Amino acid sequence: MSGYKLTKTESKFADLIWQNEPITSGDLAKLCEAEMKWKKSTTYTVLKKLCEKGIFQNENATVTSCFKKEEFYAKQSRYFVEDFFGGSLPKFLTAFIGGNKLSSKQAEALKKLIDEYKED
């Protein structure tokens, strides 16, 4: 799954799985037809691709995730910071804030997070 990014469509598909797992592949195809207007073959093609990437698994026609949604996106966030900011969280935050001011509430929330995760 190393550094794999989901497209918008794949993300919507993944959300359907995360919201409904465990789900049979047949029920997933029906859900994708209703929600995304996909044919069964499209569902199975995208599912196969994401299973090959190690994000989901389809065993005995039952689809489950290999990662919780929060775990997946946390890993993706770390890869993003590594790839684009050399692993520097301060550089990422500087770019993210982009010259905007933080509210007092936001600043306090960040301070609390830093204190909570700071190495002693």
Side-chain angles (χ1 to χ4, degrees), residues 6-90:
L6 296 178
T7 65
K8 248 184 198 180
T9 301
E10 289 171 337
S11 184
K12 185 174 179 180
F13 177 71
D15 283 340
L16 287 176
I17 296 172
W18 279 313
Q19 291 167 8
N20 294 283
E21 70 175 314
I23 186 171
T24 66
S25 53
D27 286 344
L28 179 60
K30 290 176 189 171
L31 185 60
C32 287
E33 181 181 8
E35 295 286 326
M36 302 174 78
K37 310 296 185 237
W38 282 4
K39 293 182 180 179
K40 184 192 275 188
S41 59
T42 303
T43 299
Y44 290 133
T45 298
V46 176
L47 177 60
K48 182 180 179 193
K49 179 181 177 183
L50 297 184
C51 286
E52 288 171 353
K53 297 290 183 182
I55 300 168
F56 297 104
Q57 56 189 9
N58 185 6
E59 294 181 2
N60 301 319
T62 299
V63 179
T64 57
S65 62
C66 298
F67 304 93
K68 291 180 182 172
K69 180 179 180 176
E70 297 76 18
E71 285 178 289
F72 178 81
Y73 285 111
K75 287 180 186 214
Q76 294 309 297
S77 297
R78 285 191 289 277
Y79 290 131
F80 180 79
V81 172
E82 286 292 325
D83 288 349
F84 293 98
F85 299 97
S88 171
L89 191 54

